Amino acid sequence: MTTGKPASLILRFAIPLIIGNFLQQTYSIVDSLVVGNYIGKEALGAVGSTSPLTFLFISLFMGIGIGGTVVISQFFGAKNNERVQMTIETMYKAFIVISVILTILSSYFVDELIHLIGVPEEISGMAKDYIEIIFLGYIGLFGYNINNCILQGLGDSVSNVIYLTISVVMNIVLDFLFVGYMNFGVAGAAYATIISNFSSFLFGIWHINKSKTGFRIRLFTKNFDSKTLGEVVRLGVPAGMQNVIFSLGMIVVIRLVNSYGTDFIAGYNAAIKIDGLAFLPMTSFASAVTAYVGQNVGAGQLDRVRHGVRSALIINTITSAVLSTLVIILGPHLLNLFLDEYDAGVINAGMAYIYRIVPFLFLLGILFVFNCALRGAGSSIYPMFVTLISLILGRAPLAYFLADHFGRDALYYAWPLGWVVGLMLVIPMYFSGRWRDKASRIHGEKMLHIKERAEA
């Protein structure tokens, strides 16, 4: 990604990511579609209401993956293959430890977590049945994502899509088998998801170890570099903490949503799945920016960074306008797909979300591009600060204020208002150019390291 037209490179890198993210999103969408149609709106609400819990526990772990992508892409851009291999092995050893810890903690405190998000009593039993099985399958979910982060750092966004496609087809088949045919209830959807995630994880390991890059996943070696892990953590934990803050903000909001009853919960959870699909290309373009900026920083080509960011902003804005229009027009029909029969209460609740959030998705796309650009350049703290302020001082308190003063549907305006707060912070930081100083220092340090090794 260090030569060629930035727009073409970002598009070429992002398209496989879009496909992969769509396939990954399919897991939760298919779960919701199947339980909503075969069991009912109560099951739809139960499965959807637990999503902030899953995101909360994977957030810190995902920070390692994001930090690893940046470190790998910078070493790879600098052609320091030895450090790339050490980073991969170090990340994987940290991944095993964190997976075990998070699985134990989340399983032990499952009742407290269900209570934390305020799930109504009438659906709390189904919510628990679903989420405690998902917790047990964390290693597959984490493993798939860490493989994906490694491949992205190497500039490969295509390979994992193939194996993810296989696992998604497996998930769909198992969902219908376990829920539709064998009547396992919401537990069946959870089993289908963790089996499919684990399969995708194993496919990814096999591919990386068989690829022609020469890099390998080796768990039983003594290779572990604390300094490399420190760099991954330095870059990744702020991103992970950003996701933790985001998920905590969502838990605060989901408690408010859960207080309005089953119809409102089901409508919200169906709408957020549709919204996630609409925003999916924009997150993929932003992820491409992280890899693009990281590799160009590693190669010392800082002038290309601004061109790439500008191209991503244009692509994101056009994509957002097209997809938002389609979702608004087709909203009622899309929402009805999640129900076994037409339910006006659920449909109206879902459209309240769509009308108030989807038209403003372009703001979130812009925010993501700038945050990912700063992160790819090695400035990981500031994006975390932006997310903290936009959520804590923006979305969460505004949701309660708007719902209290203007009715429950108005709470959704807190989303775009929070994004505006974030943009007011990140845009001045980006255009100040301070990230260039940090990026120049990173490139200088890596070049010095290579020179020292060559002279040794």
Side-chain angles (χ1 to χ4, degrees), residues 6-7 10 289 292 303-313 369:
I10 289 171
V289 168
Y292 173 90
D303 289 339
R304 287 176 54 82
V305 171
R306 284 190 183 275
H307 295 296
V309 170
R310 188 183 306 118
S311 298
L313 289 171
V369 168

Side-chain angles (χ1 to χ4, degrees), residues 359-388:
F360 304 103
L361 282 179
F362 74 96
L363 296 173
L364 184 56
I366 295 171
L367 181 60
F368 266 49
V369 168
F370 282 125
N371 274 342
C372 287
L374 293 176
R375 193 173 293 121
S379 299
S380 55
I381 298 294
Y382 197 79
M384 181 187 72
F385 169 75
V386 170
T387 302
L388 173 65

Side-chain angles (χ1 to χ4, degrees), residues 16-236:
L17 286 181
I18 292 171
I19 297 171
N21 287 336
F22 170 78
L23 292 171
Q24 193 170 22
Q25 188 91 339
T26 301
Y27 282 112
S28 62
I29 291 175
V30 171
D31 283 354
S32 296
L33 284 169
V34 171
V35 299
N37 280 274
Y38 281 95
I39 306 174
K41 62 184 181 183
E42 294 81 8
L44 173 62
V47 169
S49 66
T50 61
S51 56
L53 293 179
T54 304
F55 192 66
L56 173 65
F57 276 89
I58 68 171
S59 293
L60 275 176
F61 164 78
M62 285 305 298
I64 292 179
I66 294 170
T69 296
V70 175
V71 172
I72 288 171
S73 66
Q74 290 176 351
F75 280 133
F76 192 65
K79 304 187 186 309
N80 190 343
N81 291 344
E82 182 180 344
R83 299 303 300 171
V84 172
Q85 179 63 42
M86 179 61 74
T87 303
I88 291 172
E89 294 191 36
T90 299
M91 284 173 61
Y92 246 88
K93 290 177 174 64
F95 146 68
I96 295 296
V97 174
I98 294 173
S99 296
V100 172
I101 292 173
L102 289 184
T103 298
I104 293 172
L105 287 176
S106 57
S107 299
Y108 184 79
F109 292 107
V110 63
D111 289 321
E112 289 80 4
L113 292 169
I114 292 292
H115 177 73
L116 175 68
I117 59 175
V119 178
E121 186 176 350
E122 61 267 24
I123 62 173
S124 62
M126 285 190 289
K128 180 181 177 181
D129 290 343
Y130 179 81
I131 196 62
E132 62 185 358
I133 295 170
I134 294 295
F135 286 158
L136 294 175
Y138 270 164
I139 191 168
L141 176 62
F142 295 169
Y144 158 75
N145 279 286
I146 202 167
N147 290 342
N148 197 32
C149 289
I150 290 169
L151 290 170
Q152 285 183 36
L154 297 174
D156 180 0
S157 59
V158 176
S159 300
N160 219 39
V161 173
I162 299 171
Y163 306 115
L164 185 57
T165 301
I166 297 172
S167 67
V168 165
V169 172
M170 182 185 301
N171 182 57
I172 293 171
V173 172
L174 292 177
D175 261 331
F176 282 102
L177 175 65
F178 292 160
V179 180
Y181 181 73
M182 301 180 70
N183 297 317
F184 284 178
V186 294
Y191 283 124
T193 295
I194 66 171
I195 291 171
S196 303
N197 276 332
F198 196 77
S199 299
S200 182
F201 166 47
L202 295 179
F203 288 143
I205 291 177
W206 178 84
H207 170 78
I208 292 171
N209 286 341
K210 293 293 183 180
S211 67
K212 296 179 181 179
T213 62
F215 302 118
R216 299 291 181 264
I217 294 172
R218 298 180 297 213
L219 300 180
F220 304 106
T221 66
K222 294 181 180 180
N223 292 338
F224 182 86
D225 185 45
S226 58
K227 290 183 178 180
T228 298
L229 181 61
E231 179 69 1
V232 170
V233 169
R234 185 186 70 79
L235 292 170

